[in-house]
Amino acid sequence: MALTKPAKLYRLLASAGLAILVVLPLTSTQWPHVVFALVGGIAAAGAGNALNMYFERDLDASCESTSSRPIVTGAVKPAAALAFAMALLAGASVLLFVFAGSAVTIVTIFAVAVYALMYTRLLKP
């Protein structure tokens, strides 16, 4: 679970949940869709965080603030972290597709790709 960076996910869930409560007048039949869409979004964000740790494992080893991350310490093998991230993203995509629609699913997968690939691999270094 540490691969998903739970502290960041909590903040995302809180802000998204509050936004939904403030902006959308929901009927009782819409709540299951909202809950599953939030779970899918959180899972996708967790997958992005796990991919970030996978791609930055060498850099994480050299930084004091990130040297205790699971891949760096050897608690999780890099291949297992990658498999976990991809499985989590696949599960999130299914949830989002079923409960939020194809457009949300596509945008979410794109956002994970931008964060994990463009930001982590190209912009951040």
Side-chain angles (χ1 to χ4, degrees), residues 34-51:
V34 170
V35 169
F36 282 112
L38 281 172
V39 169
I42 295 299
N49 289 337
L51 286 169

Side-chain angles (χ1 to χ4, degrees), residues 30-43 91-92 94-100:
Q30 292 172 310
W31 275 106
H33 286 276
V34 170
V35 169
F36 282 112
L38 281 172
V39 169
I42 295 299
V94 169
L95 273 177
L96 289 171
F97 183 78
V98 171
F99 292 101

Side-chain angles (χ1 to χ4, degrees), residues 66-79:
T66 57
S67 63
S68 63
R69 288 185 171 172
I71 299 174
V72 175
T73 63
V76 177
K77 301 272 189 239

Side-chain angles (χ1 to χ4, degrees), residues 6-59:
K8 288 183 179 184
L9 297 181
Y10 171 74
R11 292 189 295 267
L12 176 64
L13 178 60
S15 60
L18 282 173
I20 289 168
L21 289 174
V22 170
V23 175
L24 299 176
L26 297 172
T27 65
S28 61
T29 59
Q30 292 172 310
W31 275 106
H33 286 276
V34 170
V35 169
F36 282 112
L38 281 172
V39 169
I42 295 299
N49 289 337
L51 286 169
N52 172 270
M53 282 196 207
Y54 172 79
F55 288 127
E56 287 198 326
R57 62 190 182 271
D58 294 334
L59 180 62

